[in-house]
Amino acid sequence: MTKQPTCRIAVLPGDGIGVEVIAEAEKVLRAVGERFGRQFLLERALVGGAAMDATGEPLPESTLALCRSSDAVLFGAVGNPKYDDPRAKVRPEQALLGLRKSLGLFANLRPVWVHPALADISPLRPELVRGVDLVVVRELTGGIYFGQPRVEGSERAVDTMAYTRAEVERIAHVAFRLARGRRRKVTSVDKANVLACSRLWRSVVEEVARDYPDVQLEHLLVDAATMHLIKRPRDFDVLLTGNMFGDILSDETSVLTGSMGMLPSASLGTSPSASLGGGRFGLYEPIHGSAPDIAGKGIANPLAAILSVAMLLRHSLAMEAEARAVEAAVAAVLDAGHRTPDIAAPGQPTVTTQQMGALVVEALGVGRA
Ligand code: NAD
């Protein structure tokens, strides 16, 4: 049997339920390794409040160095009420911004998929959300969040917004390539009727679209997009947005599923991942935070973290079959009626975080070919 290359994965559990859900995600990764004969080297490092406790810094240099020498990063969540003073100079949450910036993570992918059995827990009517399957592709390192803020006394404040052709091109390519593996439709969101940046955005997206004649492109103004996402969420496949609009729209789409505990995300960088070719370095995390209200109780839903593992396999390690196996295992566990409390109907029996992880490992059929 040929020896498989070893994939190095930096594991940063962080704080609160981050630690609990990442423990289950690690079990799933090991099970994938066993079933598919893959070598994963999982190396842990401190981040967030846990790193501040140990070193005084939310993102120690040693953690960053580990991430830089890995193929991908699996991240839990950061945040601890004990460091919650908004005036504090150092906060756990700074770790995430530091990681994004230092690792050049420019493309944020947030898939939103509503499992048919969970349509009833959405705040929208089940018939509207049943079958929703979309991905928000958000530009993460440009736009107004990376402008030149200026405060002029107490009377005026200024933020600037800029996008370059190259920044729009690279995120548009991510969206179109992704659409090719899905339902071949990109909806680009902008405010081209008002903003110069949006007019550049729209014309560059149209140019990039010419390389993908098999993918349908539509444009939506951001104000209309917020409405259509609620009225007809099933019509969307890939939503391509700039930094600020994506920040807002990805939170809006995340409520369609009814629980934060179900939603994974990926933040992709510019460099290829080292070990296998075909993949791109990235950081993978559930979209939820450290949830201090339920931390330590063993009731957090680990499926967002486990589905983040599927994204890691797909985007950084180019292991599509393995990614699909994880997603199919999650679907099978939900089909069988297993629920953590956040996705359970009133009166429905529930499982713990660890039991949910074990059920996914079992559904992966470890040991079977
Ligand atoms: P949160 O996402 O931690 O929790 C919001 C609500 O959703 C809570 O009621 C929580 O119990 C529930 N929830 C979240 N994940 C769940 C899961 N997997 N299973 C079941 N229920 C789940 O957001 P918050 O309460 O606003 O923030 C708590 C801390 O997390 C803060 O310090 C915040 O800064 C931080 N935070 C970190 C990240 C990150 O690390 N990426 C993201 C958001 C918030």
Side-chain angles (χ1 to χ4, degrees):
M1 192 173 155
T2 50
K3 189 164 171 5
Q4 292 285 337
T6 298
C7 309
R8 290 188 68 181
I9 298 164
V11 180
L12 278 46
D15 304 318
I17 65 165
V19 179
E20 299 166 51
V21 298
I22 289 301
E24 302 313 309
E26 281 179 304
K27 283 181 203 160
V28 170
L29 249 180
R30 289 204 188 88
V32 169
E34 204 178 308
R35 171 166 163 196
F36 288 87
R38 301 289 197 179
Q39 307 288 332
F40 299 122
L41 176 63
L42 308 182
E43 295 171 285
R44 283 183 165 229
L46 293 173
V47 75
M52 286 172 69
D53 287 344
T55 69
E57 290 174 50
L59 181 59
E61 193 46 49
S62 55
T63 299
L64 201 50
L66 175 70
C67 294
R68 285 206 173 102
S69 64
S70 301
D71 294 302
V73 180
L74 181 61
F75 183 96
V78 287
N80 183 331
K82 111 175 173 201
Y83 294 117
D84 249 0
D85 180 356
R87 289 160 305 176
K89 283 219 164 69
V90 185
R91 288 168 52 84
E93 290 81 352
Q94 287 162 352
L96 202 47
L97 292 179
L99 279 166
R100 282 179 185 162
K101 210 168 157 199
S102 311
L103 301 174
L105 303 172
F106 73 95
N108 187 230
L109 273 54
R110 277 203 198 183
V112 176
W113 160 75
V114 177
H115 187 279
L118 298 185
D120 287 330
I121 64 164
S122 169
L124 297 189
R125 289 199 310 274
E127 64 269 25
L128 277 179
V129 294
R130 203 167 277 129
V132 165
D133 182 1
L134 61 87
V135 186
V136 179
V137 176
R138 167 190 170 196
E139 201 288 327
L140 208 54
T141 52
I144 196 162
Y145 294 172
F146 289 84
Q148 288 158 331
R150 202 170 68 236
V151 178
E152 298 171 1
S154 58
E155 299 302 315
R156 192 165 181 265
V158 180
D159 286 289
T160 60
M161 177 165 170
Y163 265 116
T164 65
R165 165 177 292 276
E167 283 173 327
V168 183
E169 271 174 3
R170 69 180 182 180
I171 191 75
H173 279 293
V174 169
F176 280 98
R177 262 186 245 124
L178 195 66
R180 272 199 168 149
R182 297 174 46 91
R183 301 197 309 279
R184 294 176 186 262
K185 182 176 168 192
V186 170
T187 304
S188 174
V189 177
D190 61 38
K191 190 70 183 168
N193 53 344
V194 178
L195 298 174
C197 278
S198 282
R199 283 192 284 276
L200 174 74
W201 178 278
R202 194 175 278 216
S203 74
V204 175
V205 169
E206 275 172 5
E207 280 171 33
V208 171
R210 286 186 208 124
D211 292 347
Y212 303 86
D214 51 324
V215 178
Q216 183 197 343
L217 168 66
E218 70 172 3
H219 299 283
L220 267 186
L221 295 173
V222 63
D223 39 347
T226 59
M227 217 166 56
H228 290 298
L229 271 168
I230 296 296
K231 286 170 81 171
R232 52 177 188 93
R234 266 197 306 253
D235 290 351
F236 294 96
D237 181 17
V238 176
L239 252 118
L240 167 62
T241 81
N243 202 345
M244 179 169 63
F245 298 155
D247 189 8
I248 298 163
L249 292 181
S250 56
D251 268 23
E252 184 187 2
T253 52
S254 70
V255 299
L256 298 174
T257 61
S259 174
M260 314 266 278
M262 291 298 301
L263 294 168
S265 76
S267 299
L268 305 181
T270 44
S271 55
S273 73
S275 69
L276 289 165
R280 198 193 270 271
F281 176 83
L283 179 146
Y284 301 83
E285 56 174 328
I287 71 154
H288 59 75
S290 56
D293 55 336
I294 58 165
K297 296 184 178 160
I299 56 170
N301 185 346
L303 294 181
I306 290 170
L307 290 168
S308 300
V309 164
M311 295 190 84
L312 184 157
L313 292 163
R314 173 171 295 126
H315 296 292
S316 283
L317 304 182
M319 295 182 184
E320 182 62 28
E322 289 82 341
R324 284 184 190 224
V326 172
E327 288 163 351
V330 168
V333 167
L334 292 171
D335 283 339
H338 302 294
R339 303 281 186 271
T340 43
D342 58 307
I343 52 172
Q348 192 175 11
T350 59
V351 297
T352 65
T353 309
Q354 290 193 352
Q355 286 167 334
M356 188 57 115
L359 285 160
V360 175
V361 167
E362 196 184 311
L364 264 170
V366 177
R368 279 190 268 134

